[in-house]
Amino acid sequence: MDNLVVEGGVPLHGAIRVSGAKNAALPILAASLLTEGTCTFRNVPRLRDVETMGALLRIMGAETEIAPPVVTLRGGGVRRPEAPYELVKQMRASVLVLGPLLARFGHAKVSLPGGCAIGARPIDQHLKGLEAMGAEIKLEHGYVVASCPRLRGATIHFDMATVTGTENLMMAAALAKGRTQLVGAAREPEVEELARVLNKMGARIDGAGTDVIHIEGVETLHPVDHAIIADRIEAGTFMCAVAATGGDVLVEGTISEHVEPLAERLRTAGVEIVREETGLRVRSPGARGLRAVDIETAPHPGFPTDMQAQFMALMTLARGTSHVIESVFENRFMHVPELSRMGANIQVRGQSATLTGVDRLSGASVMATDLRASACLVIAGLLAEGETEVLRVYHLDRGYEAIEKKLSPLGARIRRVRGNL
Ligand code: EPU
């Protein structure tokens, strides 16, 4: 398994380009199941999760050409509407095929994802919504087995904002008979992007990006050619890296509205962020020159849970004390013991953490069991004195396209090595 070796203490300068959004690409690739023809998607990031989604569509019978940034998919050949445990356990987002399969084939069998490193993460809201649309759902041998000859529109009230839950039901409702209303829907930009693609396919969706989405079901959808939006979490990760090391970097392709909740906190901490024609320029004196600020994660447009770990890396050295509350997932502080091993001063109590800025971090061998925690450790490595080895980069490769190749031209000393662990 590959590891990353990072030598800290170098400010970053130059320009870095943001790839297509992982969490927009995954539901959009699943949406190709709603049509018979060939869809072409552009600006698709080269990530392990994209490969896993490709593998999933392929074993169901879809024809796939996964050559990021271009992916072509033809759902016409799908004969086996089933998502096996072997793939769902590698990637929870596999559950996104449930809505489209049920809508198009009248039945679907999808493995339950089970818990994961950041929490229990049930899918009860997805199932409740599909049942309200007339699906009969059974749980058998670890699988969701759903059937319904034709879904019908319904009004569904979510108990909490769920991103993939909203996406699954939006895709199901696109081909249902009649009108569906999703109340308390997730407002993330990735939900809006999926609605944009579905509408291009001929769906009739409005309100995506707000908490009430209306979908008027149609009989069929047609294939599309679509370029996926930039990844706000990858952009945010680069912004935190520059804020941490100090320097001056243009993060190209960033959609500034999408990163505003993070940008606002960074500005409060003392980072200069300027909108330019091609992206956002980030200038920072480095973490020791920043003020400690508090964050509380929340569904969009709140501070994203997917940026909490990276922001904490920055706060380990900021002056003063910051409080971090993780409100979205119950177990998303796995990076804390690793940051502590590097010298950070952090106390965790339940879902909140208190960080007191220290003078320095020192490089160490560290490991994380989730994607964003791994990104946090890369930033900590860029900040630390000496060498940090981030083990099991495999997690990072799920969501970041060759992070070392993107950061090196900015001056970062970071390289990939083959490890024994
Ligand atoms: N929840 C339920 N029941 C459900 C659905 C969700 O209790 O049926 C709970 C979850 O356990 C969690 C909260 O609701 O506590 C929000 O979860 P959500 O369903 O919104 O998360 P998700 O759709 O599974 C997506 C992203 C995650 C991101 C979250 C929150 C994708 C493929 N994944 O997950 O991304 O953290 O929304 O914004 O879009 C990542 O990229 O690293 C990542 C984990």
Side-chain angles (χ1 to χ4, degrees):
M1 216 176 278
D2 291 353
N3 300 331
L4 283 180
V5 177
V6 188
E7 278 172 60
V10 188
L12 302 179
H13 290 274
I16 189 166
R17 178 131 215 110
V18 180
S19 298
K22 166 179 87 81
N23 290 347
L26 297 174
I28 288 171
L29 299 186
S32 68
L33 289 168
L34 291 165
T35 79
E36 293 252 332
T38 305
C39 291
T40 304
F41 299 114
R42 301 173 197 280
N43 201 32
V44 178
R46 188 181 299 277
L47 301 174
R48 209 159 53 83
D49 274 6
V50 165
E51 279 166 27
T52 306
M53 184 57 86
L56 180 57
L57 297 175
R58 220 163 22 248
I59 58 160
M60 291 193 269
E63 286 164 41
T64 67
E65 198 183 320
I66 313 286
V70 181
V71 165
T72 10
L73 302 168
R74 203 179 78 80
V78 172
R79 296 284 171 266
R80 201 165 146 249
E82 279 185 35
Y85 180 58
E86 293 66 42
L87 288 170
V88 180
K89 75 169 191 247
Q90 286 177 38
M91 183 185 71
R92 297 181 51 84
S94 304
V95 77
L96 283 164
V97 300
L98 179 59
L101 287 178
L102 188 57
R104 181 154 152 235
F105 299 98
H107 59 103
K109 187 174 167 194
V110 174
S111 172
L112 280 164
C116 76
I118 60 179
R121 300 181 76 183
I123 56 162
D124 55 301
Q125 301 297 306
H126 306 226
L127 303 185
K128 170 180 116 166
L130 293 172
E131 275 176 336
M133 294 168 77
E136 191 192 318
I137 292 184
K138 289 190 246 159
L139 301 182
E140 283 174 356
H141 310 295
Y143 279 75
V144 176
V145 181
S147 58
C148 184
R150 173 94 194 259
L151 294 169
R152 51 172 197 273
T155 295
I156 295 148
H157 291 262
F158 287 106
D159 298 331
M160 78 278 294
T162 156
V163 177
T164 51
T166 303
E167 292 166 345
N168 235 337
L169 297 187
M170 215 161 64
M171 290 188 278
L175 284 182
K177 188 171 176 54
R179 190 173 173 78
T180 297
Q181 191 172 215
L182 303 178
V183 183
R187 291 183 281 166
E188 269 66 5
E190 294 78 15
V191 172
E192 255 188 287
E193 173 75 346
L194 173 64
R196 209 171 289 129
V197 171
L198 293 171
N199 282 340
K200 258 192 184 181
M201 288 177 162
R204 294 175 58 197
I205 301 173
D206 66 70
T210 75
D211 60 356
V212 182
I213 303 179
H214 298 279
I215 305 128
E216 193 69 52
V218 296
E219 294 297 316
T220 53
L221 294 171
H222 53 78
V224 287
D225 187 322
H226 182 82
I228 288 165
I229 52 166
D231 194 312
R232 65 192 166 102
I233 305 300
E234 192 200 27
T237 302
F238 296 150
M239 289 164 74
C240 281
V242 182
T245 59
D248 182 338
V249 171
L250 178 64
V251 187
E252 285 179 317
T254 312
I255 302 169
S256 54
E257 301 76 45
H258 292 179
V259 296
E260 190 45 38
L262 167 69
E264 186 277 323
R265 292 285 76 196
L266 288 175
R267 285 194 193 100
T268 307
V271 180
E272 192 186 333
I273 299 173
V274 184
R275 194 171 172 161
E276 294 191 4
E277 211 171 297
T278 56
L280 285 186
R281 181 164 298 283
V282 182
R283 283 195 199 99
S284 167
R288 279 306 284 153
L290 298 177
R291 283 183 289 282
V293 294
D294 300 341
I295 55 168
E296 176 166 1
T297 66
H300 192 76
F303 189 96
T305 173
D306 290 343
M307 284 305 307
Q308 177 259 105
Q310 302 89 313
F311 197 84
M312 265 176 95
L314 176 64
M315 287 296 114
T316 57
L317 294 196
R319 290 178 188 279
T321 299
S322 57
H323 302 281
V324 174
I325 302 177
E326 173 53 58
S327 307
V328 178
F329 290 111
E330 65 268 29
N331 183 28
R332 212 172 192 183
F333 283 136
M334 290 89 67
H335 41 288
V336 169
E338 303 298 290
L339 289 175
S340 301
R341 292 184 53 242
M342 296 175 75
N345 180 354
I346 310 175
Q347 263 79 46
V348 173
R349 222 171 229 224
Q351 284 177 231
S352 62
T354 304
L355 293 89
T356 306
V358 293
D359 287 331
R360 61 182 197 100
L361 294 185
S362 63
S365 281
V366 286
M367 188 169 82
T369 48
D370 122 84
L371 165 59
R372 308 303 171 187
S374 305
C376 153
L377 297 178
V378 169
I379 296 175
L382 293 171
L383 268 186
E385 286 177 4
E387 197 173 272
T388 294
E389 196 177 14
V390 182
L391 306 177
R392 299 205 169 184
V393 175
Y394 143 100
H395 292 289
L396 210 68
D397 292 338
R398 288 190 46 200
Y400 292 90
E401 195 173 296
I403 197 166
E404 74 282 9
K405 290 198 183 130
K406 284 198 171 188
L407 289 172
S408 295
L410 302 181
R413 294 203 207 108
I414 177 168
R415 63 181 201 281
R416 187 178 284 255
V417 297
R418 205 156 275 292
N420 308 317
L421 264 176

